[in-house]
Amino acid sequence: MIRDTAGEAEKGEVASYIPELARQEKHMLGISVCLVDGTLLSAGDANHSFTLQSISKIFSLMVALCEHGPDYVFQRVGKEPTGDPFNSIIKLETIKPHKPLNPMINAGAIAVAGMIPGASVEERLDKILQLLRKMSGNPDLRVNEKVYQSEKQTADRNRALAYFLKDSGILQGDVEETLDLYFRHCSIDMTTVEVARLAAVLAADGYDARSREQLFPREVARICKTFMITCGMYNASGEFAIDVGIPAKSGVAGGIMAAVPQRMGIGVFGPALDDKGNSVAGVKVLEKLSDRLDLSVF
C-alpha cells in the first residue's frame, strides 16, 4: 500500500510558509496502526519524527475540557464547520458573537490555548505534554525548538487572529503568552508510531490498554472524535468523511491521526500537502486502508 501511493507526493508541496517545514523531504511516507489492545504494525518512514502542528489542537482541547468542562469551553468557541481555510479571519469578523466557529481552526485553537491554566507558559505546556506522554508511552516527548522558533517568527496571521480575539473578549490573559503556548504545542515532535498510539486511546474512548488506565473521560473522547469528523481535515472534512469515513485530524507538517472507534488508531506521515493543507499521499493511504478493511464509521 505504501508503494502504491508513494507517487501521490508529486501532486503536492511541503508547507513553505513555515521555513523549517519547507526543509522536509516531500517524498517521505510512513504509516503505523495500533490496535486498541496495543498491537502495533508499521511500514515506510514510521520512525521519522515530525511536528504535530494542528493535530495538537485535539489535545489542547482535551486539556481545556478536562480542566473546565464543555459549558465553559463552548461559551468561547463554537461547534460548527467553517468551510473556510484554517487560518481565515472572515467568519470571525462577520458573525456575532465574534467567537471562532470550532476549535480545529487556528482562531479556535488559539482561544482554547487561552483556557489552559498555569502560572507560566511552561506550566501550561506541561499539561499538554503530560497527556501526550501518557497516551503515547513516550516520556521524552519534546518541542522541536527549530520549528517552534520558525513558527514564532512567521506568525503574523495568527497574531492578527489572537489580537482580534482579545479585542472581542474571547481570549483571556496575555496574548503573546497564549500565542507562545500555541506555537509550542504545534511544534511537539512525534513519529507515526506515537501518533497511532494516541489515536488508539481515542478510539478506545480514553482507555489505554497498555497501562490499563482511563486517561480521560469517555465524553471528552466523544467530543474530540466528533470534531475530527466534522472539522479535522480543514475545509476538506466533508470529502474525507465520504471517501474515508474515519475521525481524523491533519497537520501541515504532513501528519494525519485517525481513530477507528473500538478498533484501531492510525498515524500517517507524508509532508507533501494538497491545497487544503492535508497530506496528499497520507489521505490516499487512508482511503485505500479504509476501503480494504471496511473502516468507515458510516
Side-chain angles (χ1 to χ4, degrees):
M1 190 178 300
I2 287 284
R3 288 193 299 270
D4 293 344
T5 54
E8 293 290 322
E10 288 297 335
K11 301 176 184 177
E13 297 295 337
V14 297
S16 58
Y17 61 92
I18 300 173
E20 200 62 31
L21 296 186
R23 300 175 184 273
Q24 295 184 119
E25 169 51 56
K26 68 180 288 184
H27 294 102
M28 297 190 80
L29 181 60
I31 183 171
S32 297
V33 174
C34 183
L35 305 183
V36 293
D37 67 3
T39 303
L40 185 71
L41 303 167
S42 294
D45 298 307
N47 291 313
H48 179 83
S49 63
F50 56 94
T51 52
L52 289 180
Q53 298 300 322
S54 286
I55 297 172
S56 69
K57 294 172 181 176
I58 289 292
F59 304 100
S60 58
L61 176 61
M62 277 187 190
V63 172
L65 288 168
C66 289
E67 292 282 345
H68 300 293
D71 289 345
Y72 179 94
V73 171
F74 296 123
Q75 285 175 0
R76 293 162 175 79
V77 64
K79 305 175 185 177
E80 297 295 331
T82 69
D84 296 318
F86 58 87
N87 60 354
S88 175
I89 198 171
I90 295 172
K91 295 262 175 52
L92 188 62
E93 187 174 12
T94 56
I95 63 170
K96 292 185 179 180
H98 295 304
K99 70 179 184 181
L101 280 177
N102 67 71
M104 300 296 104
I105 55 175
N106 288 11
I110 291 167
V112 168
M115 301 177 204
I116 297 175
S120 64
V121 172
E122 289 73 20
E123 186 176 313
R124 295 162 71 188
L125 176 66
D126 194 59
K127 292 180 183 293
I128 300 171
L129 277 170
Q130 288 304 322
L131 175 63
L132 290 170
R133 287 165 179 162
K134 284 182 180 179
M135 291 177 70
S136 69
N138 182 358
D140 299 318
L141 291 182
R142 294 287 185 273
V143 170
N144 182 315
E145 286 295 324
K146 288 184 178 180
V147 174
Y148 157 63
Q149 292 294 341
S150 188
E151 290 205 35
K152 189 174 182 178
Q153 292 164 13
T154 56
D156 292 338
R157 175 71 66 93
N158 284 329
R159 285 195 173 84
L161 293 170
Y163 278 100
F164 189 95
L165 291 170
K166 179 70 171 181
D167 181 68
S168 301
I170 298 297
L171 186 60
Q172 307 295 315
D174 184 85
V175 174
E176 290 298 328
E177 286 187 3
T178 298
L179 282 167
D180 197 52
L181 173 61
Y182 174 72
F183 302 144
R184 287 176 188 267
H185 75 62
C186 285
S187 302
I188 294 169
D189 255 338
M190 299 190 84
T191 65
T192 63
V193 171
E194 292 154 347
V195 170
R197 286 175 175 158
L198 302 180
V201 177
L202 259 176
D205 292 330
Y207 181 75
D208 181 13
R210 289 174 300 112
S211 65
R212 299 183 181 180
E213 291 181 84
Q214 187 73 31
L215 298 184
F216 48 86
R218 181 186 180 119
E219 177 66 2
V220 170
R222 184 190 68 81
I223 291 170
C224 290
K225 283 184 285 188
T226 305
F227 275 123
M228 289 164 71
I229 279 286
T230 60
C231 314
M233 301 297 287
Y234 304 128
N235 51 324
S237 296
E239 181 181 356
F240 187 87
I242 291 170
D243 294 343
V244 183
I246 305 171
K249 183 72 197 85
S250 63
V252 296
I256 303 175
M257 176 182 71
V260 185
Q262 302 307 320
R263 293 180 67 180
M264 67 185 72
I266 307 168
V268 182
F269 170 64
L273 310 179
D274 61 23
D275 60 358
K276 305 291 177 58
N278 298 316
S279 170
V280 179
V283 168
K284 185 58 68 173
V285 165
L286 289 170
E287 186 178 330
K288 287 178 176 290
L289 190 66
S290 179
D291 181 62
R292 188 173 299 180
L293 301 181
D294 191 22
L295 300 182
S296 175
V297 300
F298 300 108

Coordinates of all heavy atoms in Angstrom, one line a residue, residues 187-281:
S187 N 4.5 22.5 17.8 CA 5.8 22.1 17.4 C 6.4 20.9 18.2 O 7.6 20.6 18.2 CB 6.8 23.3 17.7 OG 6.4 24.4 16.9
I188 N 5.4 20.1 18.8 CA 5.8 18.9 19.5 C 6.2 17.8 18.5 O 5.4 17.6 17.6 CB 4.7 18.4 20.5 CG1 4.5 19.5 21.6 CG2 5.1 17.1 21.1 CD1 3.3 19.2 22.4
D189 N 7.3 17.2 18.7 CA 7.8 16.2 17.7 C 7.2 14.8 18.1 O 7.2 14.4 19.3 CB 9.3 16.1 17.8 CG 10.0 16.7 16.6 OD1 9.4 16.8 15.6 OD2 11.2 17.1 16.8
M190 N 6.8 14.1 17.1 CA 6.3 12.7 17.3 C 6.6 11.9 16.0 O 7.0 12.4 15.0 CB 4.9 12.6 17.6 CG 4.5 13.3 18.9 SD 2.8 13.0 19.4 CE 3.0 11.5 20.3
T191 N 6.4 10.6 16.1 CA 6.5 9.7 14.9 C 5.1 9.1 14.7 O 4.2 9.2 15.5 CB 7.5 8.5 15.2 OG1 6.9 7.7 16.2 CG2 8.9 9.0 15.6
T192 N 5.0 8.4 13.5 CA 3.7 7.8 13.3 C 3.3 6.7 14.3 O 2.2 6.5 14.6 CB 3.6 7.2 11.9 OG1 4.5 6.1 11.7 CG2 3.8 8.2 10.8
V193 N 4.4 6.1 14.9 CA 4.1 5.1 15.9 C 3.5 5.7 17.1 O 2.4 5.2 17.6 CB 5.5 4.4 16.3 CG1 5.3 3.6 17.6 CG2 6.1 3.6 15.2
E194 N 4.0 6.9 17.5 CA 3.4 7.5 18.7 C 2.0 8.1 18.4 O 1.1 8.1 19.2 CB 4.4 8.6 19.2 CG 5.7 8.0 19.7 CD 6.9 8.9 19.6 OE1 6.8 10.0 18.9 OE2 7.9 8.6 20.3
V195 N 1.9 8.7 17.2 CA 0.6 9.2 16.8 C -0.5 8.1 16.8 O -1.6 8.3 17.2 CB 0.7 9.9 15.4 CG1 -0.7 10.3 14.9 CG2 1.5 11.2 15.6
A196 N -0.1 6.9 16.3 CA -1.1 5.8 16.2 C -1.5 5.4 17.6 O -2.6 5.0 17.9 CB -0.4 4.6 15.5
R197 N -0.5 5.5 18.6 CA -0.9 5.1 20.0 C -1.8 6.2 20.6 O -2.7 5.8 21.3 CB 0.4 5.0 20.8 CG 1.2 3.8 20.5 CD 2.5 3.7 21.2 NE 3.2 2.4 21.1 CZ 4.5 2.3 21.2 NH1 5.3 3.3 21.6 NH2 5.0 1.1 21.0
L198 N -1.6 7.4 20.2 CA -2.6 8.5 20.7 C -4.0 8.1 20.2 O -5.0 8.2 20.9 CB -2.2 9.8 20.2 CG -0.8 10.4 20.5 CD1 -0.7 11.8 19.8 CD2 -0.6 10.6 22.0
A199 N -4.0 7.8 18.9 CA -5.3 7.6 18.2 C -6.0 6.3 18.8 O -7.2 6.3 18.8 CB -5.1 7.5 16.7
A200 N -5.2 5.3 19.1 CA -5.8 4.1 19.7 C -6.5 4.4 21.0 O -7.5 3.8 21.3 CB -4.7 3.0 19.9
V201 N -5.9 5.2 21.8 CA -6.5 5.6 23.1 C -7.8 6.4 22.8 O -8.8 6.2 23.5 CB -5.6 6.4 24.0 CG1 -6.3 6.9 25.3 CG2 -4.3 5.6 24.3
L202 N -7.8 7.3 21.8 CA -9.0 8.0 21.4 C -10.1 7.0 20.9 O -11.3 7.1 21.3 CB -8.7 9.0 20.3 CG -8.6 10.4 20.7 CD1 -8.1 11.2 19.4 CD2 -9.9 11.0 21.2
A203 N -9.6 6.0 20.1 CA -10.5 5.0 19.6 C -11.2 4.2 20.7 O -12.3 3.8 20.5 CB -9.8 4.1 18.6
A204 N -10.5 4.0 21.8 CA -11.0 3.2 22.9 C -11.7 4.1 24.0 O -11.8 3.8 25.1 CB -9.9 2.4 23.5
D205 N -12.1 5.3 23.5 CA -12.8 6.3 24.4 C -12.0 6.7 25.7 O -12.6 6.8 26.7 CB -14.1 5.7 24.8 CG -15.1 5.6 23.7 OD1 -15.0 6.4 22.7 OD2 -15.9 4.7 23.7
G206 N -10.7 6.8 25.5 CA -9.9 7.3 26.6 C -9.2 6.2 27.4 O -8.4 6.5 28.3
Y207 N -9.5 4.9 27.1 CA -8.9 3.8 27.8 C -7.6 3.4 27.1 O -7.5 3.2 25.9 CB -9.8 2.6 27.9 CG -9.2 1.4 28.7 CD1 -9.2 1.5 30.0 CD2 -8.8 0.3 28.0 CE1 -8.6 0.4 30.7 CE2 -8.3 -0.8 28.7 CZ -8.2 -0.7 30.0 OH -7.7 -1.8 30.7
D208 N -6.5 3.3 27.9 CA -5.2 2.8 27.4 C -5.0 1.4 27.8 O -4.8 1.1 29.0 CB -4.1 3.7 28.0 CG -2.7 3.4 27.5 OD1 -2.6 2.6 26.6 OD2 -1.7 3.8 28.1
A209 N -5.0 0.5 26.8 CA -4.8 -0.9 27.1 C -3.5 -1.3 27.7 O -3.3 -2.2 28.4 CB -5.1 -1.7 25.8
R210 N -2.5 -0.5 27.3 CA -1.1 -0.8 27.7 C -0.9 -0.6 29.2 O -0.3 -1.3 30.0 CB -0.1 0.0 26.9 CG 0.0 -0.5 25.5 CD 1.0 0.3 24.6 NE 0.5 1.7 24.6 CZ 1.1 2.7 25.1 NH1 2.2 2.6 25.8 NH2 0.6 3.9 25.0
S211 N -1.4 0.6 29.7 CA -1.3 0.9 31.1 C -2.6 0.5 31.9 O -2.6 0.5 33.2 CB -1.1 2.4 31.3 OG -2.3 3.1 30.9
R212 N -3.6 0.1 31.2 CA -4.9 -0.3 31.8 C -5.5 0.8 32.7 O -6.0 0.6 33.8 CB -4.7 -1.6 32.7 CG -4.3 -2.8 31.9 CD -4.2 -4.1 32.7 NE -3.8 -5.2 31.9 CZ -3.6 -6.4 32.4 NH1 -3.9 -6.7 33.7 NH2 -3.2 -7.4 31.6
E213 N -5.4 2.0 32.1 CA -5.9 3.2 32.8 C -6.9 3.9 31.9 O -6.8 3.9 30.6 CB -4.8 4.2 33.1 CG -3.8 3.8 34.1 CD -2.7 4.9 34.3 OE1 -3.0 5.9 35.1 OE2 -1.7 4.8 33.7
Q214 N -7.9 4.6 32.5 CA -8.7 5.5 31.8 C -8.1 6.9 31.9 O -8.0 7.5 32.9 CB -10.1 5.6 32.5 CG -11.2 6.4 31.7 CD -11.7 5.7 30.4 OE1 -11.7 4.4 30.3 NE2 -12.0 6.5 29.4
L215 N -7.5 7.3 30.8 CA -6.7 8.5 30.8 C -7.5 9.8 30.8 O -7.0 10.9 31.2 CB -5.7 8.5 29.7 CG -4.7 7.3 29.7 CD1 -3.7 7.5 28.5 CD2 -3.9 7.2 31.0
F216 N -8.7 9.8 30.2 CA -9.5 10.9 30.2 C -11.0 10.4 30.0 O -11.2 9.3 29.6 CB -9.2 11.9 29.1 CG -8.9 11.4 27.7 CD1 -10.0 11.1 26.9 CD2 -7.6 11.0 27.3 CE1 -9.8 10.6 25.6 CE2 -7.4 10.4 26.1 CZ -8.5 10.2 25.2
P217 N -12.0 11.2 30.3 CA -13.4 10.8 30.3 C -13.8 10.4 28.9 O -13.4 11.0 27.9 CB -14.2 12.0 30.9 CG -13.2 12.7 31.6 CD -11.9 12.6 30.9
R218 N -14.7 9.4 28.9 CA -15.3 9.0 27.6 C -16.0 10.2 26.9 O -15.9 10.3 25.6 CB -16.4 7.9 27.9 CG -17.0 7.3 26.7 CD -18.1 6.4 27.1 NE -18.8 5.9 25.9 CZ -18.8 4.6 25.5 NH1 -18.2 3.7 26.3 NH2 -19.5 4.2 24.4
E219 N -16.6 11.1 27.6 CA -17.3 12.2 27.0 C -16.3 13.1 26.3 O -16.7 13.6 25.2 CB -18.1 13.0 28.0 CG -18.8 14.2 27.5 CD -19.9 14.0 26.6 OE1 -20.2 12.8 26.3 OE2 -20.5 14.9 26.1
V220 N -15.2 13.3 26.8 CA -14.1 14.1 26.1 C -13.7 13.4 24.8 O -13.6 14.1 23.8 CB -12.9 14.3 27.1 CG1 -11.7 14.9 26.4 CG2 -13.3 15.2 28.3
A221 N -13.5 12.1 24.9 CA -13.2 11.4 23.6 C -14.3 11.5 22.6 O -14.0 11.8 21.4 CB -12.9 9.9 23.9
R222 N -15.5 11.5 23.0 CA -16.6 11.6 22.1 C -16.6 12.9 21.4 O -16.8 13.1 20.2 CB -18.0 11.4 22.8 CG -19.2 11.4 21.9 CD -20.5 11.4 22.7 NE -20.7 12.6 23.4 CZ -21.1 13.8 22.8 NH1 -21.4 13.8 21.5 NH2 -21.3 14.9 23.5
I223 N -16.5 14.0 22.2 CA -16.4 15.4 21.6 C -15.3 15.5 20.6 O -15.5 16.0 19.5 CB -16.3 16.4 22.8 CG1 -17.6 16.4 23.6 CG2 -16.0 17.8 22.2 CD1 -17.5 17.2 24.9
C224 N -14.1 15.0 21.0 CA -13.0 15.2 20.1 C -13.1 14.4 18.8 O -12.8 15.0 17.7 CB -11.7 14.8 20.9 SG -11.2 15.9 22.2
K225 N -13.6 13.2 18.9 CA -13.8 12.4 17.7 C -14.9 13.0 16.8 O -14.8 13.0 15.5 CB -14.1 11.0 18.0 CG -12.9 10.2 18.4 CD -13.2 8.7 18.7 CE -14.0 8.5 20.0 NZ -14.1 7.1 20.3
T226 N -15.9 13.7 17.4 CA -16.9 14.3 16.6 C -16.3 15.5 15.8 O -16.6 15.7 14.6 CB -18.1 14.8 17.4 OG1 -18.6 13.7 18.2 CG2 -19.2 15.4 16.6
F227 N -15.5 16.3 16.5 CA -14.8 17.4 15.8 C -13.8 16.9 14.7 O -13.7 17.5 13.7 CB -14.0 18.3 16.8 CG -14.8 19.3 17.5 CD1 -14.9 19.4 18.9 CD2 -15.5 20.3 16.8 CE1 -15.6 20.3 19.5 CE2 -16.2 21.2 17.4 CZ -16.3 21.3 18.8
M228 N -13.2 15.7 14.9 CA -12.3 15.2 13.9 C -13.1 14.9 12.6 O -12.6 15.1 11.5 CB -11.6 13.9 14.5 CG -10.6 14.3 15.5 SD -10.0 12.9 16.5 CE -9.1 11.9 15.3
I229 N -14.3 14.3 12.8 CA -15.2 14.0 11.6 C -15.6 15.3 10.9 O -15.6 15.4 9.7 CB -16.4 13.2 12.0 CG1 -16.0 11.7 12.2 CG2 -17.5 13.3 11.0 CD1 -15.8 11.0 10.9
T230 N -16.1 16.3 11.7 CA -16.7 17.5 11.1 C -15.7 18.5 10.7 O -16.0 19.3 9.7 CB -17.8 18.1 12.0 OG1 -17.1 18.5 13.3 CG2 -18.9 17.1 12.3
C231 N -14.6 18.6 11.3 CA -13.6 19.7 11.1 C -12.2 19.3 11.0 O -11.3 20.2 10.8 CB -13.8 20.8 12.3 SG -15.4 21.2 12.7
G232 N -11.9 18.1 11.2 CA -10.5 17.6 11.4 C -9.6 17.7 10.2 O -8.4 17.8 10.3
M233 N -10.2 17.7 9.0 CA -9.4 17.8 7.8 C -9.5 19.1 7.1 O -9.6 19.2 5.8 CB -9.7 16.6 6.9 CG -9.5 15.2 7.5 SD -7.8 14.9 7.9 CE -7.1 14.6 6.3
Y234 N -9.6 20.2 7.9 CA -9.8 21.5 7.4 C -11.0 21.6 6.5 O -12.0 21.0 6.9 CB -8.5 22.0 6.6 CG -7.2 21.9 7.4 CD1 -6.1 21.2 6.9 CD2 -7.1 22.5 8.7 CE1 -4.9 21.2 7.6 CE2 -6.0 22.4 9.4 CZ -4.9 21.7 8.9 OH -3.7 21.7 9.6
N235 N -11.0 22.4 5.5 CA -12.2 22.5 4.6 C -12.3 21.4 3.6 O -13.0 21.6 2.6 CB -12.4 23.9 4.0 CG -11.1 24.4 3.3 OD1 -10.0 24.0 3.7 ND2 -11.3 25.1 2.2
A236 N -11.7 20.3 3.8 CA -11.9 19.1 3.0 C -12.5 18.0 3.9 O -12.5 16.8 3.5 CB -10.6 18.6 2.4
S237 N -13.0 18.3 5.1 CA -13.6 17.4 6.0 C -14.7 16.6 5.5 O -14.9 15.4 5.7 CB -13.9 18.0 7.3 OG -12.8 18.6 7.9
G238 N -15.6 17.2 4.7 CA -16.8 16.5 4.2 C -16.4 15.5 3.1 O -16.9 14.4 3.1
E239 N -15.5 15.9 2.3 CA -14.9 15.0 1.2 C -14.3 13.8 1.9 O -14.5 12.6 1.5 CB -14.0 15.7 0.3 CG -13.4 14.9 -0.8 CD -12.4 15.7 -1.6 OE1 -12.3 16.9 -1.4 OE2 -11.8 15.1 -2.5
F240 N -13.5 14.0 2.9 CA -12.8 13.0 3.6 C -13.8 12.0 4.3 O -13.6 10.8 4.3 CB -11.8 13.6 4.6 CG -10.9 12.6 5.3 CD1 -9.7 12.2 4.7 CD2 -11.2 12.0 6.5 CE1 -8.8 11.3 5.3 CE2 -10.4 11.0 7.1 CZ -9.2 10.7 6.5
A241 N -14.8 12.6 4.9 CA -15.8 11.8 5.5 C -16.5 10.8 4.6 O -16.8 9.6 4.9 CB -16.9 12.6 6.2
I242 N -16.7 11.3 3.3 CA -17.3 10.4 2.3 C -16.3 9.4 1.8 O -16.6 8.2 1.6 CB -17.9 11.3 1.2 CG1 -19.1 12.1 1.6 CG2 -18.3 10.4 0.0 CD1 -19.6 13.2 0.7
D243 N -15.1 9.8 1.5 CA -14.1 8.9 0.8 C -13.4 8.0 1.8 O -13.0 6.9 1.4 CB -13.1 9.8 0.1 CG -13.6 10.6 -1.0 OD1 -14.7 10.2 -1.5 OD2 -13.0 11.5 -1.5
V244 N -13.3 8.4 3.1 CA -12.5 7.6 4.0 C -13.4 7.2 5.2 O -13.5 6.0 5.6 CB -11.3 8.3 4.6 CG1 -10.5 7.5 5.5 CG2 -10.4 8.8 3.4
G245 N -14.1 8.2 5.8 CA -15.1 7.9 6.8 C -14.6 7.5 8.2 O -15.2 6.8 8.9
I246 N -13.4 8.1 8.5 CA -12.8 7.8 9.8 C -12.5 9.2 10.5 O -12.1 10.1 9.9 CB -11.4 7.1 9.7 CG1 -11.6 5.8 8.8 CG2 -10.8 6.8 11.0 CD1 -10.2 5.2 8.5
P247 N -12.8 9.3 11.8 CA -12.5 10.5 12.5 C -11.0 10.7 12.4 O -10.2 9.9 12.7 CB -12.9 10.2 14.0 CG -13.9 9.2 13.9 CD -13.6 8.3 12.7
A248 N -10.5 11.9 11.9 CA -9.1 12.2 11.6 C -8.8 13.6 11.8 O -9.6 14.5 11.7 CB -8.8 11.8 10.2
K249 N -7.5 13.9 12.1 CA -7.0 15.3 12.3 C -5.7 15.3 11.6 O -4.8 14.5 11.8 CB -6.9 15.7 13.7 CG -6.4 17.1 13.9 CD -7.5 18.1 13.5 CE -7.0 19.5 13.3 NZ -6.6 19.7 11.9
S250 N -5.5 16.3 10.7 CA -4.3 16.5 10.0 C -3.5 17.7 10.5 O -4.0 18.5 11.3 CB -4.6 16.7 8.5 OG -5.4 17.9 8.3
G251 N -2.2 17.8 10.1 CA -1.4 18.9 10.4 C -0.5 19.3 9.2 O -0.2 18.4 8.4
V252 N -0.1 20.5 9.1 CA 0.6 20.9 7.9 C 2.1 20.5 7.8 O 2.8 20.7 6.8 CB 0.6 22.5 7.7 CG1 -0.9 22.9 7.5 CG2 1.2 23.2 8.9
A253 N 2.6 19.8 8.8 CA 3.9 19.1 8.7 C 3.7 17.8 7.9 O 4.7 17.2 7.5 CB 4.5 18.8 10.0
G254 N 2.5 17.4 7.6 CA 2.2 16.2 6.8 C 1.7 15.0 7.6 O 1.4 13.9 7.1
G255 N 1.4 15.2 8.9 CA 0.9 14.1 9.7 C -0.7 14.0 9.6 O -1.3 15.1 9.4
I256 N -1.2 12.9 9.8 CA -2.6 12.6 10.0 C -2.8 11.6 11.1 O -2.1 10.6 11.1 CB -3.3 12.1 8.7 CG1 -3.1 13.1 7.5 CG2 -4.8 11.9 9.0 CD1 -3.7 12.5 6.2
M257 N -3.7 11.9 12.1 CA -4.1 11.0 13.1 C -5.5 10.6 12.9 O -6.4 11.4 12.7 CB -3.9 11.6 14.5 CG -4.4 10.8 15.6 SD -4.3 11.6 17.2 CE -5.7 12.8 17.1
A258 N -5.8 9.2 12.8 CA -7.1 8.7 12.6 C -7.5 7.7 13.6 O -6.6 6.9 14.0 CB -7.2 8.1 11.2
A259 N -8.7 7.8 14.1 CA -9.2 6.9 15.2 C -10.4 6.1 14.7 O -11.4 6.7 14.5 CB -9.5 7.7 16.4
V260 N -10.3 4.8 14.6 CA -11.4 4.0 14.2 C -12.0 3.5 15.5 O -11.4 2.6 16.2 CB -11.0 2.8 13.3 CG1 -12.2 2.0 12.8 CG2 -10.1 3.3 12.1
P261 N -13.2 3.9 15.8 CA -13.8 3.6 17.1 C -13.8 2.1 17.5 O -14.2 1.3 16.7 CB -15.2 4.1 17.0 CG -15.1 5.3 16.0 CD -14.1 4.8 15.0
Q262 N -13.2 1.8 18.7 CA -13.1 0.5 19.2 C -12.3 -0.5 18.4 O -12.3 -1.7 18.7 CB -14.5 -0.1 19.5 CG -15.4 0.8 20.4 CD -14.7 1.1 21.7 OE1 -14.0 0.3 22.3 NE2 -14.9 2.4 22.2
R263 N -11.6 0.0 17.4 CA -10.8 -0.9 16.6 C -9.3 -0.6 16.6 O -8.5 -1.4 16.9 CB -11.4 -0.9 15.1 CG -12.7 -1.6 15.0 CD -13.3 -1.6 13.6 NE -12.5 -2.5 12.8 CZ -12.8 -2.7 11.5 NH1 -13.8 -2.1 10.9 NH2 -12.0 -3.5 10.8
M264 N -9.0 0.7 16.2 CA -7.5 1.0 16.0 C -7.3 2.5 15.9 O -8.2 3.2 15.6 CB -7.0 0.3 14.7 CG -7.6 0.9 13.4 SD -7.1 0.0 11.9 CE -8.0 -1.5 12.1
G265 N -6.1 2.8 16.1 CA -5.6 4.2 15.8 C -4.6 4.1 14.7 O -3.8 3.1 14.6
I266 N -4.5 5.2 13.9 CA -3.6 5.2 12.7 C -2.8 6.5 12.7 O -3.4 7.6 12.9 CB -4.4 5.1 11.4 CG1 -5.3 3.8 11.4 CG2 -3.5 5.0 10.2 CD1 -6.3 3.8 10.3
G267 N -1.5 6.4 12.5 CA -0.7 7.6 12.3 C -0.1 7.5 10.9 O 0.4 6.5 10.5
V268 N -0.2 8.6 10.2 CA 0.4 8.7 8.8 C 1.2 9.9 8.7 O 0.9 11.0 9.3 CB -0.7 8.7 7.8 CG1 -0.1 8.7 6.4 CG2 -1.7 7.5 7.9
F269 N 2.3 9.8 8.0 CA 3.2 11.0 7.7 C 3.6 11.0 6.2 O 4.1 10.0 5.7 CB 4.4 10.9 8.5 CG 5.5 12.0 8.2 CD1 5.2 13.3 8.3 CD2 6.7 11.6 7.6 CE1 6.2 14.3 7.9 CE2 7.7 12.5 7.3 CZ 7.4 13.8 7.4
G270 N 3.2 12.1 5.6 CA 3.7 12.4 4.2 C 3.6 13.9 4.0 O 2.6 14.5 3.9
P271 N 4.8 14.6 4.0 CA 4.8 16.0 4.1 C 4.3 16.8 2.8 O 4.1 18.0 2.9 CB 6.3 16.3 4.3 CG 7.0 15.1 3.8 CD 6.1 14.0 4.0
A272 N 4.1 16.2 1.7 CA 3.6 16.9 0.5 C 2.1 17.1 0.7 O 1.4 16.1 0.9 CB 3.9 16.1 -0.7
L273 N 1.7 18.4 0.7 CA 0.3 18.7 1.0 C -0.5 19.1 -0.2 O 0.1 19.6 -1.2 CB 0.3 19.9 2.0 CG 1.2 19.8 3.2 CD1 1.1 21.1 4.0 CD2 0.8 18.6 4.1
D274 N -1.8 19.0 -0.1 CA -2.7 19.5 -1.2 C -3.0 20.9 -0.9 O -2.5 21.5 0.1 CB -3.9 18.6 -1.3 CG -4.8 18.6 -0.1 OD1 -4.7 19.5 0.8 OD2 -5.6 17.6 0.1
D275 N -3.9 21.5 -1.7 CA -4.2 23.0 -1.5 C -5.0 23.3 -0.3 O -5.3 24.4 0.1 CB -4.8 23.6 -2.7 CG -6.2 22.9 -3.1 OD1 -6.6 21.9 -2.4 OD2 -6.8 23.3 -4.1
K276 N -5.5 22.2 0.4 CA -6.3 22.4 1.7 C -5.4 22.3 2.9 O -5.8 22.5 4.0 CB -7.4 21.4 1.8 CG -8.4 21.4 0.6 CD -9.2 22.6 0.5 CE -10.1 22.6 -0.7 NZ -11.0 21.5 -0.8
G277 N -4.1 21.8 2.7 CA -3.2 21.6 3.8 C -3.1 20.2 4.3 O -2.6 20.0 5.4
N278 N -3.7 19.2 3.6 CA -3.7 17.8 4.0 C -2.6 17.0 3.2 O -2.4 17.3 2.0 CB -5.0 17.2 3.8 CG -6.1 17.9 4.7 OD1 -5.9 18.2 5.8 ND2 -7.3 18.1 4.1
S279 N -2.0 16.0 3.8 CA -1.1 15.2 3.2 C -1.7 14.5 2.0 O -2.7 13.7 2.2 CB -0.5 14.2 4.2 OG 0.3 13.2 3.5
V280 N -1.1 14.7 0.8 CA -1.7 14.1 -0.4 C -1.6 12.5 -0.3 O -2.6 11.8 -0.5 CB -1.0 14.6 -1.7 CG1 -1.5 13.9 -2.9 CG2 -1.1 16.1 -1.8
A281 N -0.4 12.0 -0.1 CA -0.2 10.6 0.0 C -0.9 10.0 1.2 O -1.4 8.9 1.2 CB 1.3 10.3 0.0

